[in-house]
Amino acid sequence: MCGRFALTLPAEAMVQLFGAAPANDLPVLPNWNICPTNAVHAVLSEAGTRHLASLRWGFLPVWYTSPSDGPLLINARAETVAEKPAFRQAARARRCLIPASGFYEWTKDGAGNRLPWYIHPREGDLAAFAGIWQDWTSAEGDTLSTCAIVTTQANEALGPIHHRMPVTVAAPDWGLWLGEAGHGAARLMRPAPDDLFAAHRVDPRVNSNRAEGPELIEPFGG
């Protein structure tokens, strides 16, 4: 799964990188500890135009009567995303890219303590996670744009840390995932190459969703 991530690249740089028009309500950056239900940056493509938008991380099916009506859907499994009633329409028609500088996963020591790891691209400043999105409307008529990160089986390099990882879309395939380049996005839902990411232990302070600061992603030897 992917339950926390970081994004440190300025919005202006992502606008240029993705060729996307920015929304006016983008979340504040940098953010070293992005948590479920936070607003996240996402690249959408509508009518051939890309937008850098703000979405709530936590996908809301249309039948939810409130944001807390059911399970918090922050991830969608690649193996079933096209079949699950909550996700299948979005998987076909509302795919997005969710930029990240890296993400966190946890192992446990012999005493059961949670040991956080920061996983980040070996080269470059950014990964683009596959996502799906959907507008949810409350009974009062308020609209909330929401998303989930698509995950798949971990590759051999990251398997010892966690059995799942985000689907990561390479730059040449961005258009295919966004629906700009025809059909075939399903073939992108596979583990990343073993050499794409590096991982190191980080301070257990990140176990708290209130922790902040660049030191959260620094190597930790304790």
Side-chain angles (χ1 to χ4, degrees):
M1 65 177 294
C2 177
R4 295 280 188 86
F5 65 98
L7 181 59
T8 61
L9 200 67
E12 295 80 4
M14 289 188 286
V15 164
Q16 294 185 0
L17 182 63
F18 291 102
N24 294 324
D25 60 345
L26 294 174
V28 175
L29 292 174
N31 190 338
W32 292 273
N33 192 10
I34 300 171
C35 303
T37 73
N38 287 172
V40 301
H41 292 73
V43 180
L44 320 179
S45 183
E46 298 178 288
T49 300
R50 291 184 185 179
H51 303 274
L52 184 62
S54 174
L55 303 180
R56 174 195 187 262
W57 186 21
F59 190 95
L60 295 179
V62 294
W63 58 81
Y64 276 25
T65 59
S66 73
S68 59
D69 191 34
L72 183 60
L73 304 177
I74 61 171
N75 294 154
R77 294 175 67 93
E79 297 88 345
T80 58
V81 67
E83 304 166 3
K84 292 287 187 181
F87 300 134
R88 60 190 176 199
Q89 289 299 323
R92 293 170 186 161
R94 292 184 300 277
R95 298 188 297 272
C96 63
L97 297 169
I98 299 177
S101 300
F103 65 102
Y104 300 97
E105 288 295 358
W106 282 261
T107 56
K108 289 185 178 180
D109 62 17
N113 298 307
R114 299 177 74 230
L115 309 177
W117 295 75
Y118 183 62
I119 302 164
H120 60 94
R122 291 183 184 273
E123 298 181 6
D125 300 321
L126 198 74
F129 296 156
I132 55 173
W133 69 278
Q134 179 163 280
D135 286 339
W136 174 84
T137 304
S138 71
E140 294 74 29
D142 299 320
T143 298
L144 190 59
S145 297
T146 70
C147 66
I149 294 172
V150 181
T151 66
T152 188
Q153 180 179 352
N155 58 27
E156 290 189 9
L158 298 184
I161 299 176
H162 198 276
H163 66 285
R164 305 289 295 179
M165 68 183 300
V167 170
T168 304
V169 183
D173 295 321
W174 289 347
L176 182 58
W177 182 257
L178 291 173
E180 302 167 345
H183 300 289
R187 68 173 177 82
L188 303 177
M189 293 191 291
R190 58 181 184 267
D194 286 343
D195 61 354
L196 182 63
F197 290 108
H200 58 260
R201 282 278 316 282
V202 291
D203 196 315
R205 277 205 319 118
V206 80
N207 291 352
S208 168
N209 58 14
R210 297 182 180 180
E212 299 178 357
E215 65 276 7
L216 296 181
I217 66 172
E218 294 299 321
F220 177 76

